[in-house]
Amino acid sequence: YFFPLYVPTNNAVYHILDGSGGTAANNWGSYFVPGSVNGQGYNQDRETVANVHFGIPHRFDTGRDDIQLLYVVGNLYTGFYSSANDIGAANVTPCTPSAALPYCNPSTLANYWPGYPIPWLDSTYYTGQLGQAPNSNDVVAGVFPSSPTQRVYNYASPSGFNGTSYIDPSDRDTSSNAFAIEKLQYQRNFSSSSFLRFGAYGEYTNWFIFGPNASQLTFGAALPDYEVLGHIFGGNLTYANQLSSQHQLTAKLSYMTQKLQTYNAQFGATGLGTILSSYVDNSGNCYNFTTGALWSCYDAGSQGGLQDDGSINLTPSGAVPANSPAALAGAHWTMTENGYAAQVDNVTPYFSSAAITDVYHPNEKLTVNFGARFDSFSYRLNDLKSGYPTRQFWFNAFNRENCGAPGFAPVSIWNPNTLTFGTCPAGFTPMWNGSGPTPGVGLTNVGASTTTANVFQPRVAFTWALGPDTVIRGSYGKYARPAATSYQQYNTWQQDLASFISQFYAFGYTTPVHDVRPDTADNADISWEQRVKGTALSFKVTPFYRRTQNQLQYLAINPLQGTLAGLNIGTQVNAGVEFSAQYGDFSRDGLSGILSYTYTNSKVKYAAVSNGASVIDTLNNYIAQYNSYTKSCNPSVNPAAAQPGTSAYAACGTALWGGQNAAPSLVNASASPITNPYYNQSAQPLLSRDAWYAPYDVTPAPFTAANGFETPDVVTMILNYRKGRFAITPSLIYSSGSVYGSPLVYPGYVPQSCTADPASTPLTPGVSCTGSYTTGTGAVESPGAVFLPDPYTGKFDAPGSLQEPSQLTLNLQMAYDISPRLTLTLIANNVYNKCYQRGRAWDDPNTCIYSNLPSNVLAPSGNFLASSVTPVQVRYPYGTWFNNTQLGYTSELQPFQVTVDLNIKL
């Protein structure tokens, strides 16, 4: 496959290949070069286990107690094909400025791009007091985390950009998972029928992702600096007693807590973060440092810090005009950001539980196991106010400058074209009420707190022997899963937490705390086990059913930065049947075998979040945005499109776009007419909020999470033929394949954002379309792209609407007993392995799982390029799913493999 090093694009939101970087000769992308797709280039696994038991004899009986000491330590280290040499730099040379490489000029930061080889993305920090006047002497340099320190630093200083230090072209990005477990257990055996067991344990775990190459690449597939540390401590107490031949009682208490930190560094073009000083008055209003006009706190006109020439200037102007708004308000420079930037999670869990079980055995035919478990899940949330001197400044600034609406991201009222504040678009409410955040609409910060969820879980199971050849088994139980700490509260190292948590605004979250609860499942199954009398054949049939309430659904809020959210919005139902049959005995001469078949029907329905919005609404907003450009949403053509409460009004998103997009041509910022390519297309139906959908590990988002995990049919057959010392065992596995599909996979350009009419450049129609434009109300829209119906299916693909290939695999094992203590075994895997394609345009005979294009960050070119000049790698909405978030997972056909094993019994 390939991985693009750099794709020049005018579309800053999604980095869609649009032809702005080249010509037809180089596939419209001068840096669209081939390379490896972040596959594993090196893997090292180290594991050590020591498990020791000590018996302590009793003084007055023949029994003895037991002490166990357990120690486990290990590490899994992976290096990826991500170095400059792997990506495609066959002859790596220093990057020097030239006409051919205009982006290779470290002296001017505004047009600085690394080229070959890749430089270290070092950082600049401010060590002085935030919320006070700036001091340039407090600007210091810092190296890229975990990088070599004996080198020149690449950083911005008060005098300009300093240093040019490159990563060794053979150095790869890496991932490391280390773990350690220490356990002490003491068991007091009171008698042969009762004991008391106490155990205490400690665990250490980490996950370090080191991606210096990826940090400098538009499509880097590893996080630059991701660090997860866990220290886990717990204990449990178990008492068991065989009260009689009919009752066996077991009771257990347990407790666990963890000291966790998840650190996900967020790098920009200049390192970890940005050093900022803001020109503000005592009320936190921002002003232009040159004109003195009221200004956006997020615009460079009110900020000091990194300049275009690479220098740090924290107070970039002299006095503003007398009697200007800034002068009258007493505006002054104050430090508001120190250059540190990372998502960080330090939530502490405290879990405790109690359980009791009785095994009731009234006779030889019936055994009943019944009991209950009580779990208490508590989380200590952090104080996100103390220790952040300018955090409230940024919350106030964000609320002053944005408007909110259920189901949508906040919309800024600052117009970067006219450099003035506008008004909220239709359907949006100001997030600032004049004196503070609007209740329920504006963003607010939080102090420390604790949250607790308690769950009671009854369970029962039975085994009933109807006769020597027939057994009936059944069970029912309620089970709880605690929510991960990382979804309870969101924090950052940067002071501007408000901008970060605004990513979750569409789902009703206006604070860093998310009300995430444990999800619970009711599980039931019953089985009929039968041996066919007088034969060597037996079989088992097991229908099963599981219903999960408040299921935690994961959403990729920002897949580029690895930001996920968890919402208790799922109701999932899994129902099916398992059948297995066994004939003969594998250890005896003759033919024997096992056949199993499992059918599973799994569906999920999504509930609304607290603000009434649903994740389906989020998908529908993109569909409605497309529809808003079609003729069906022009009120003069379809009056229902302008009538609230009608299906056409909803499908056209009239409340948000007001029918203003539904015209044959639209005007850009220069008032030039731009052809609307969607006007004569058919409006598409919205997805049903109340429908049941295929389960996805992560709910679909733009260019990410387009595949599910339900596999309806799985068949396994194992045959064995033994003759004396020789045995041959073929196995056949069939899978019907899972499902995939997402409405957010194929992009189109935004007509109003184009600086030239796309019709004038038919091969590269979207080359001038930035994806950002100003509405008639002065609001700035930055959608990046309009999502289009899949051109190969003719519609927006609903989750689970496409079928993955089915797969058939044949394996073979042969064993020969050389002696009673010596056995030679040959295993041939994938003797036959094939994935049966479904006839799609993107079919590849080596692919068994399709989804969005690789790594969640690569977009198809959509209608930005004509199909005839689009590189095949970005031509289709779907492709091979490499699933880089799960390092050991593969979706491609595996090669034929032979293993020879010699087993010696001493």
Side-chain angles (χ1 to χ4, degrees), residues 144-444:
F144 187 91
S146 302
S147 68
T149 57
Q150 302 302 314
R151 58 179 176 82
V152 177
Y153 294 176
N154 304 320
Y155 69 98
S157 73
S159 60
F161 187 81
N162 292 285
T164 305
S165 181
Y166 298 110
I167 302 170
D168 189 296
S170 63
D171 284 355
R172 292 170 168 169
D173 297 340
T174 60
S175 172
S176 175
N177 293 91
F179 58 90
I181 303 172
E182 305 86 24
K183 175 188 172 185
L184 170 64
Q185 179 177 289
Y186 172 70
Q187 179 168 313
R188 172 62 176 174
N189 295 312
F190 299 111
S191 67
S192 60
S193 60
S194 68
F195 66 84
L196 180 68
R197 178 187 300 147
F198 169 76
Y201 61 89
E203 297 182 33
Y204 169 81
T205 180
N206 69 41
W207 185 12
F208 298 147
I209 298 178
F210 178 62
N213 295 291
S215 68
Q216 289 281 41
L217 304 178
T218 304
F219 292 96
L223 296 173
D225 180 26
Y226 184 79
E227 303 178 23
V228 179
L229 291 169
H231 295 271
I232 306 168
F233 306 95
N236 55 71
L237 186 66
T238 303
Y239 174 73
N241 195 336
Q242 183 76 47
L243 300 176
S244 69
S245 61
Q246 295 184 340
H247 292 278
Q248 179 178 316
L249 183 70
T250 303
K252 185 172 184 177
L253 300 173
S254 65
Y255 176 82
M256 183 275 293
T257 186
Q258 302 182 26
K259 301 295 182 183
L260 298 172
Q261 182 178 78
T262 300
Y263 172 89
N264 183 8
Q266 296 174 323
F267 284 79
T270 60
L272 269 176
T274 302
I275 296 175
L276 283 182
S277 57
S278 298
Y279 196 54
V280 301
D281 62 20
N282 290 330
S283 297
N285 297 295
C286 295
Y287 299 87
N288 185 282
F289 57 74
T290 301
T291 67
L294 190 66
W295 214 252
S296 168
C297 295
Y298 293 90
D299 186 272
S302 68
Q303 298 172 348
L306 189 67
Q307 307 300 297
D308 284 348
D309 62 0
S311 65
I312 296 287
N313 190 349
L314 300 178
T315 56
S317 76
V320 298
N323 298 319
S324 67
L328 295 174
H332 55 278
W333 287 103
T334 184
M335 291 302 304
T336 51
E337 287 287 0
N338 57 14
Y340 291 94
Q343 179 188 349
V344 61
D345 164 34
N346 285 307
V347 173
T348 302
Y350 299 92
F351 294 170
S352 57
S353 68
I356 187 168
T357 303
D358 184 24
V359 180
Y360 176 52
H361 188 58
N363 53 57
E364 293 303 316
K365 290 187 176 182
L366 180 64
T367 300
V368 181
N369 185 319
F370 56 90
R373 177 184 175 97
F374 177 82
D375 279 300
S376 181
F377 305 118
S378 293
Y379 303 85
R380 187 186 67 198
L381 308 181
N382 296 297
D383 182 356
L384 307 189
K385 295 181 176 180
S386 301
Y388 300 94
T390 57
R391 176 154 288 180
Q392 193 57 50
F393 160 78
W394 287 110
F395 268 90
N396 293 346
F398 191 92
N399 287 324
R400 286 191 182 103
E401 300 185 23
N402 285 274
C403 305
F408 290 87
V411 174
S412 173
I413 59 174
W414 174 253
N415 188 329
N417 298 313
T418 63
L419 301 178
T420 58
F421 289 105
T423 58
C424 292
F428 283 78
T429 301
M431 296 174 68
W432 185 261
N433 63 16
S435 59
T438 304
V441 179
L443 301 180
T444 57

Side-chain angles (χ1 to χ4, degrees), residues 408 426 620-621 623-628 633 641 646-661 686:
F408 290 87
N620 281 335
N621 288 339
I623 299 175
Q625 183 185 21
Y626 167 79
N627 289 341
S628 72
C633 293
T646 64
S647 59
Y649 186 87
C652 293
T654 309
L656 294 171
W657 293 287
Q660 63 186 11
N661 294 336
L686 302 181

